[in-house]
Amino acid sequence: MEILKYLLIGIYVIVCLALIVVAMMQSKDDGGMSGAIAGSSSNNFYEKNKGRTREGKLKRWTIILSIVFAILTIALSIVYVI
């Protein structure tokens, strides 16, 4: 059980660092009030292909790493209780 604990902690640290790096690499995506007043159209080429851009990939990796972070947190709490 000790080996599993140390393995989970190692993976947890790597995921934490990767999540911090990916979150810091993202650009500020804030339309603010100007986007709400002007009415941004989501029917353009960029919005349809946003997942293929660098920002889209970073957002996807942030979500994936956040889910892994949450799962590892629960797993570590279970391992430490046992």
Side-chain angles (χ1 to χ4, degrees), residues 57-70:
K57 290 177 184 176
L58 285 174
K59 186 175 182 179
R60 184 180 314 125
W61 276 106
T62 304
I63 293 170
I64 291 170
L65 287 171
S66 300
I67 291 170
V68 172
F69 177 80

Side-chain angles (χ1 to χ4, degrees), residues 27-65:
S27 63
K28 185 178 178 185
D29 188 30
D30 186 18
M33 285 301 291
S34 63
I37 294 171
S40 60
S41 174
S42 64
N43 197 13
N44 58 16
F45 181 77
Y46 177 72
E47 289 295 324
K48 289 181 181 177
N49 295 310
K50 194 172 186 178
R52 296 182 184 158
T53 62
R54 180 177 181 263
E55 291 84 15
K57 290 177 184 176
L58 285 174
K59 186 175 182 179
R60 184 180 314 125
W61 276 106
T62 304
I63 293 170
I64 291 170
L65 287 171

Side-chain angles (χ1 to χ4, degrees), residues 2-50:
E2 285 293 314
I3 296 172
L4 179 65
K5 188 184 300 185
Y6 290 126
L7 181 67
L8 284 175
I9 289 172
I11 295 170
Y12 190 71
V13 168
I14 292 170
V15 168
C16 288
L17 293 174
L19 185 60
I20 290 169
V21 169
V22 170
M24 294 297 287
M25 288 174 57
Q26 289 184 4
S27 63
K28 185 178 178 185
D29 188 30
D30 186 18
M33 285 301 291
S34 63
I37 294 171
S40 60
S41 174
S42 64
N43 197 13
N44 58 16
F45 181 77
Y46 177 72
E47 289 295 324
K48 289 181 181 177
N49 295 310
K50 194 172 186 178

Side-chain angles (χ1 to χ4, degrees), residues 12 66-77:
Y12 190 71
S66 300
I67 291 170
V68 172
F69 177 80
I71 291 170
L72 283 173
T73 302
I74 294 169
L76 277 171
S77 66

